[in-house]
């Protein structure tokens, strides 16, 4: 008896679902709403207890989105006309309220199984269906599976010596206790200075008795320029929403920034400085993506952005030695090729008596002890140790699921030497399986809700076309996968992203293949290629008509 047959026998009363969606973040929720509208029997399996995806798991103090209102929400007028935010960069609690509101408006929960983690999926060749196993032991049959697991579904904790000996409280930021954790009067340590570490630090710095930040690579954090938003302001802003959402669809990263046309090297020092100041005062990602067109392409142009950024940090940190640790003269990597974070008072923290930074580049972390963290023979005693150590991004959340395709090969095995896909949405040997926000699609280079809609619409159209053409089995070819992978890598080589050891390159996880994980050519070029493939009858896919079932 084959594996497939035994699984089929186990699921004696298999649920019949057209499209099983995994994950109820922006991408999954959009798929569900749009597919149901088109008459598909679609359902979501979600590991968390509510909607929200990462906003369910990442509820650590200070967690907030770094995309400005109104970019980080759905473009559906029925939703935004009655919804108002309290801040320009909303926090996790407000984002959860937004998801609850979307749930009510779109009536989603009735088609979502919460607290249901997908642990395995196996393709049943005889039926051209997926058998999807969840952590409650159930097996569900679906014609197609769309993975909407996001880029950060698998957290990463380094294998520090002695980690299990720590007697205080320790959590990874993405597994924060839902009931919260009070830092007041506690000795708090944070390992990691990515976006998560910066956000926790800003909260802990205000209430902890002592806060020690263990920094390996300085974060190049940008001014958030947070603002309160009132209803009257948003009513005025809403007149522009349709145009802004249109612009978001036409941009390279899913934001509404105007195009930048000038090189940083073709303008005078005064003009360059004025442009940088202007972007800085606008806040958010303006300084990252909306100053000059060659910041991420030309090292000399890039250096001008780094120098400006460094001068901003040094102006805020009173101790020059600490300022140098946070913003060294020699850039740790080119500006912007590792994802920047947004900060509100991060740099002022280091002027406080209760905050210290430990430079792990100078003196590496030796071990975790029962009482704290040991560096250079010194034990830093802690009550709470925060692991802000990031994620096995983009691929990790997918390959942690035991997904078995047509050759008995798992997705993990298929991607052992690096992820490979057709258009970032499909994988050879894994028919009837689609990925939103997956590897080799714009994913981490694109604003989440934008990608959920833009790439999501393409996937929905493909599913509709398959239904309309009575296709029961669609599979990316190995040739198409190889061609797409070469194309993604080729564009990646033209950028400076490979110059940093970032999660963009898979380089934050020991042993993970180094490759550019997100499509680096911009959403427009990406969609052009997806649309061309669809127009030509889904080039790069083998399509088969209905079998008798
Ligand atoms: O993770 P990260 P994150 N010893 O990978 C350090 C999104 N996000 O959770 O840089 C010591 O950025 C590591 O050091 P280094 C956003 O896309 C968004 O902060 O590898 N340190 C680094 O400092 C973001 O990019 C928001 O040298 C070690 C840190 O841990 C992505 O999620 C908020 C170490 C990991 O930083 C990930 O952010 C939060 C070791 N062995 C997150 N290993 C928003 O604002 C790792 N580190 C929306």
């Amino acid at each position: 008896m084959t594996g497939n047959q035994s699984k089929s026998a186990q699921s004696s009363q298999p649920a019949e679902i057209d499209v099983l969606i995994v994950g109820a973040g922006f991408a999954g929720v959009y798929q569900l709403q749009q597919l149901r509208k088109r008459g598909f029997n679609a359902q979501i399996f979600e590991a968390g207890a509510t909607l929200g995806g990462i906003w369910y798991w990442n509820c650590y103090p200070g967690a907030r989105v770094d995309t400005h209102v109104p970019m980080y929400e759905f473009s559906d007028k029925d939703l935004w006309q009655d919804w108002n935010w309290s801040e320009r960069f909303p926090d996790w609690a407000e984002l959860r309220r937004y998801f609850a509101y979307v749930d009510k408006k779109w009536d989603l929960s009735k088609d979502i199984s919460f607290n249901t983690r997908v642990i395995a999926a196996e393709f049943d060749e005889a039926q051209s269906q997926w058998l999807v196993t969840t952590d409650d032991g159930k097996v569900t049959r679906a014609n197609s599976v769309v993975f909407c697991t996001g880029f950060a579904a698998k957290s990463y904790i380094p294998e520090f010596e002695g980690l299990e000996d720590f007697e205080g409280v320790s959590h990874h930021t993405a597994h924060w206790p839902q009931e919260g954790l009070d830092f007041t009067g506690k000795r708090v340590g944070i390992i990691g200075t990515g976006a998560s570490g910066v956000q926790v630090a800003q909260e802990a710095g205000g209430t902890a008795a002592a806060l020690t930040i263990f920094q390996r690579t300085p974060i190049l954090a940008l001014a958030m320029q947070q603002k309160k938003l009132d209803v009257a302001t948003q009513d005025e802003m809403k007149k522009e929403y349709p145009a802004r959402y249109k612009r978001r669809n036409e941009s390279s990263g899913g934001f509404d920034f105007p195009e930048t046309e000038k090189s940083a090297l073709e303008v005078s020092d005064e003009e360059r400085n004025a442009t940088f100041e202007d972007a800085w005062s606008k806040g958010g990602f303006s300084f990252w993506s909306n100053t000059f067109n060659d910041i991420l392409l030309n090292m000399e142009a890039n250096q001008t952005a780094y120098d400006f950024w460094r001068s901003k940090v040094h102006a805020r940190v009173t101790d020059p030695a600490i300022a140098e640790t946070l913003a060294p003269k020699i850039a740790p990597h080119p500006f912007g090729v590792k994802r920047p974070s947004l900060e509100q008072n991060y740099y002022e923290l280091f002027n406080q008596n209760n905050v210290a930074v430990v430079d792990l580049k100078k003196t590496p972390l030796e071990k975790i002890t029962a009482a704290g963290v040991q560096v250079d023979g010194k034990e830093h005693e802690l009550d709470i140790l925060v692991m802000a150590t990031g994620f096995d991004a983009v691929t990790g959340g997918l390959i942690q699921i035991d997904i078995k395709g047509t050759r008995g090969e798992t997705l993990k095995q298929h991607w052992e030497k690096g992820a490979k896909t057709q258009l970032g949405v499909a994988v050879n040997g894994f028919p009837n399986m689609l990925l939103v926000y997956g590897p080799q699609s714009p994913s981490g280079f694109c604003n989440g809700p934008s990608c959920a809609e833009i790439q999501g619409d393409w996937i929905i159209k493909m599913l509709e076309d398959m239904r309309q053409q009575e296709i029961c089995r669609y599979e990316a070819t190995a040739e198409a996968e190889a061609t797409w992978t070469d194309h993604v890598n080729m564009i990646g080589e033209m950028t400076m992203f490979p110059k940093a050891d970032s999660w963009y390159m898979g380089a934050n996880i020991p042993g993970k293949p180094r490759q550019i994980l997100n499509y680096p050519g911009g959403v427009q070029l990406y969609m052009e290629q997806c649309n061309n493939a669809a127009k030509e009858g889904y080039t790069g896919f083998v399509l088969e008509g209905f079998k008798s079932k």
Side-chain angles (χ1 to χ4, degrees), residues 394-395 398 411 414-415 418-430 433-442 455 475-489 515-519 526 530 539-541:
V394 190
T395 51
L398 290 163
L411 189 62
H414 190 65
W415 285 352
K420 40 188 180 168
T421 68
Q422 159 64 338
L423 300 169
V425 296
V427 184
N428 173 252
F430 297 81
M433 179 182 100
L434 296 168
L435 313 172
V436 185
Y437 221 63
Q440 301 182 328
S441 83
Q455 190 191 26
E475 180 184 359
T477 65
E479 297 71 34
E481 200 177 63
T483 305
W484 185 253
T485 300
D486 286 348
H487 170 69
V488 174
N489 292 344
Q515 69 176 132
I516 188 137
L517 285 165
N518 308 307
Y519 184 77
Y526 172 75
C530 290
T539 44
F541 287 85

Side-chain angles (χ1 to χ4, degrees), residues 175-228:
H175 298 286
W176 206 256
Q178 294 290 326
E179 65 279 10
L181 184 62
D182 190 3
F183 291 140
T184 309
K186 299 283 197 289
R187 297 164 302 172
V188 179
I190 302 175
I191 302 180
T193 53
S196 306
V198 166
Q199 292 182 338
V200 181
Q202 291 177 146
E203 296 299 312
T207 56
L211 169 64
T212 310
I213 296 170
F214 298 91
Q215 169 193 289
R216 191 165 66 178
T217 306
I219 179 90
L220 311 192
L222 310 178
M224 175 178 280
Q225 314 291 17
Q226 174 71 300
K227 278 196 197 101
K228 294 278 174 218

Side-chain angles (χ1 to χ4, degrees), residues 60 64 66 192-196 199 216-217 338-339 388 390-391 503:
Y60 57 83
R64 68 177 62 252
D66 49 17
T193 53
S196 306
Q199 292 182 338
R216 191 165 66 178
T217 306
K338 207 163 171 173
R339 192 174 181 285
F391 300 90
W503 65 259

